[in-house]
Amino acid sequence: MFNKRVRIKELLSNEASNYDATVMGWVRTFRNNQFIALNDGSTNNNLQVVATLGNFDEKTLKRITTGACIKVTGEVIPSLGKGQKVELKAVSIEILGDSDAEKFPLQPKRHSLEFLREIAHLRFRTNTFGAVFRVRHSLAFAIHKFFNDKGFIYLHTPIITASDAEGAGEMFKVTALPLDGTAAKNEDGSINYKEDFFGRSTNLTVSGQLEGELAAMAFSDIYTFGPTFRAENSNTTRHLAEFWMIEPEVAFNDLEDNMNLAEEFIKYVIQYAIDNNPEDIEFLAQRLDEEEKQKPQNDRSEMRLLEKLEFVVNNDFERLTYTEAIEILKESNHNKKKKFQYLIDGWGTDLHSEHERYLVEKHFKKPVILTNYPKDIKSFYMRMNDDGKTVAAMDILAPGIGEIVGGSQREERMDKLTERMAEMKIPQEELGWYLDTRRFGSCPHAGFGLGFERLVQFVTGMGNIRDVIPFPRYPKSAEF
RNA sequence: UCCUCCUUAGCUCAGUUGGUUAGAGCAUCUGACUGUUAAUCAGAGGGUCGCCCGUUCAAGUCGGGCAGGGGGAGCCA
């Protein structure tokens, strides 16, 4: 059998030696015409393969280049050198795939993340991206495990949606009509979507929430975890045009239940990564340390990556209302000394990222849950509070990346909901199916959306969201 | 989309007040060495200085436009 191999992770974690093994992987470096650092992606650590001098012909040795794929059979022995416990003394080396050293772009040295982004198809083979995507996997798995263990149903909401009333952002159009101007038109010159594949105008989903609410009205506890698309021209380190979102929706939960669920969830998945990817997180911590050294003293982070993650897991998130946050900001020295670009002067406007950062990074120094925002800066489906001015919304702000969760208790009262829709000029006929849940057995319920890539950013410490998704989609970029 | 900075060898970067033939480290190739840890040592090859236009006797260097990238802002997750 060809694939009778042992993964390098298993081989290295096994203390045993003096047994035969076959490994396959990609050459990271070939030192001294004798020592191959081999990696198969199962761990960031390389296996040292020793090709004893004189045992292999010159032709084979020449083909062991950085990036080449090889199969090695030999004996696992206690290492004669420092730096590793065991090594593989090669008996046979087979070149599975050559790699032209003059053309292979990865070198055994540090590359810039910007350069690696241009070769996203090869960047998996670096230590940094190996670690990032193993952590990404663990987080994805932990998410399913968390909800499954709690009895939630994993709901697949549609990728193609017809509703354009959600207001979550600019949408990508989905059409099978010709784009050369020959598509059927209405009398007023607009495109006649009755002729289109679905017989109506459709888009890529911007959120699975509304559909999630429908299922929560039957299963009580559901979550979605899937791709989401926003056609906004956002060019930042924390926005993507295609990203993955987790959206739990829970019947009978109020705002406080919602906060409790979100906080427990975030702590659980972070702890899972800490427990299952200690080496990857330590590697990422080290590269962050290097990065921090380049910064001026007072911009440096007070905690290392692992400390930061453990701090989040072991401390309660700070919970306060929008109104309380405005007070803190207004009374802050930062505001009084006019150090904010946008000074806080009154109640009712949305917070800018500098304000959120101040609250999270300077004032509380931990994740913050802000609640009960003014109704005018939030969505139509959020539940109206008794004061008539605020809604039962919550945003979770994380150090370094800002808003990681946005959620709310939903408006379950038909009259209040339709009133809000009218105010915000949202046509009811488009959302008849959504309003049916309020017509037939409506109940209090709540949910939130968590941006998966922002979570991965937080856990890996990566500064740019484009480096935590395998093939990022953002304005002017859809290669690979 | 706005503000700001950047673009010089495969990669990471130097390049002085505009002035001969544009440099270094790493990588690559050739050779030496051989228990190395991003091996080491010696030598060699490698450049339309992002693209276009302008100023000037002369532009990598100054000015304008465009493209791409970084950081920040807005929109948000």
Side-chain angles (χ1 to χ4, degrees), chain A residues 21 75 193 445:
Chain A
E75 189 185 3
Y193 285 104
H445 62 290

Side-chain angles (χ1 to χ4, degrees), chain A residues 78-364:
Chain A
S79 180
L80 301 176
K82 288 168 191 159
Q84 58 278 317
K85 281 186 184 149
V86 293
E87 60 192 20
L88 183 67
K89 193 174 179 203
V91 172
S92 77
I93 297 176
E94 185 184 335
I95 312 289
L96 299 178
D98 288 289
S99 175
D100 186 338
E102 283 193 72
K103 290 178 183 151
F104 188 63
L106 293 173
Q107 301 157 14
K109 61 170 273 192
R110 182 172 283 267
H111 292 287
S112 68
L113 294 173
E114 292 80 27
F115 171 67
L116 293 171
R117 213 172 288 148
E118 290 171 15
I119 50 166
H121 54 307
L122 296 171
R123 67 179 178 170
F124 296 119
R125 297 199 202 171
T126 64
N127 286 330
T128 298
F129 287 94
V132 165
F133 291 119
R134 274 188 297 273
V135 169
R136 183 181 166 109
H137 160 79
S138 281
L139 288 169
F141 185 81
I143 286 161
H144 286 301
K145 183 162 162 48
F146 174 82
F147 286 119
N148 183 64
D149 290 353
K150 276 191 171 303
F152 280 56
I153 292 286
Y154 175 31
L155 183 79
H156 294 104
T157 49
I159 307 293
I160 299 173
T161 59
S163 162
D164 55 358
E166 293 165 47
E170 290 297 312
M171 292 184 280
F172 287 102
K173 285 218 93 63
V174 173
T175 182
L177 292 172
L179 297 175
D180 58 5
T182 61
K185 299 225 166 67
N186 296 312
E187 281 177 17
D188 63 1
S190 60
I191 305 276
N192 181 6
Y193 285 104
K194 289 208 174 71
E195 298 294 320
D196 203 353
F197 187 91
F198 296 107
R200 58 181 303 161
S201 166
T202 49
N203 312 289
L204 291 178
T205 182
V206 292
S207 162
Q209 182 202 315
L210 300 188
E211 290 91 346
E213 283 186 55
L214 311 182
M217 299 293 98
F219 298 109
S220 307
D221 310 273
I222 68 97
Y223 72 106
T224 75
F225 182 9
T228 311
F229 308 87
R230 305 267 168 97
E232 265 133 29
N233 191 9
S234 298
N235 293 286
T236 79
T237 52
R238 55 192 185 283
H239 288 87
L240 290 165
E242 177 182 292
F243 63 101
W244 289 64
M245 190 151 63
I246 297 103
E247 295 178 287
E249 194 67 40
V250 183
F252 320 119
N253 266 10
D254 65 11
L255 187 65
E256 194 185 352
D257 298 320
N258 204 28
M259 287 191 272
N260 292 344
L261 177 68
E263 183 168 341
E264 185 189 350
F265 168 70
I266 290 171
K267 287 175 172 174
Y268 178 90
V269 297
I270 291 175
Q271 186 64 52
Y272 188 90
I274 290 172
D275 292 342
N276 287 276
N277 298 72
E279 290 178 345
D280 291 323
I281 288 173
E282 176 52 28
F283 176 84
L284 291 163
Q286 281 174 20
R287 71 169 292 286
L288 263 188
D289 295 343
E290 292 291 312
E291 226 167 61
E292 292 280 318
K293 280 185 201 161
Q294 315 291 324
K295 292 186 189 165
Q297 196 89 44
N298 49 351
D299 284 358
R300 289 184 200 171
S301 163
E302 290 167 24
M303 283 187 256
R304 295 192 74 228
L305 180 61
L306 183 60
E307 283 179 90
K308 211 168 77 183
L309 298 177
E310 282 174 342
F311 182 83
V312 167
V313 168
N314 295 326
N315 287 280
D316 289 340
F317 293 6
E318 192 69 35
R319 300 181 185 192
L320 71 161
T321 65
Y322 164 90
T323 307
E324 289 164 343
I326 288 287
E327 277 309 307
I328 288 171
L329 288 167
K330 204 196 288 180
E331 295 305 314
S332 70
N333 282 331
H334 217 73
N335 195 51
K336 287 177 175 166
K337 288 181 182 165
K338 302 194 190 305
K339 281 190 186 164
F340 285 127
Q341 198 186 338
Y342 298 91
L343 293 178
I344 298 286
D345 48 1
W347 191 92
T349 57
D350 211 350
L351 299 177
H352 287 270
S353 35
E354 58 175 342
H355 307 130
E356 296 181 348
R357 272 209 310 277
Y358 179 85
L359 286 172
V360 172
E361 288 159 25
K362 292 268 180 344
H363 191 83
F364 292 114

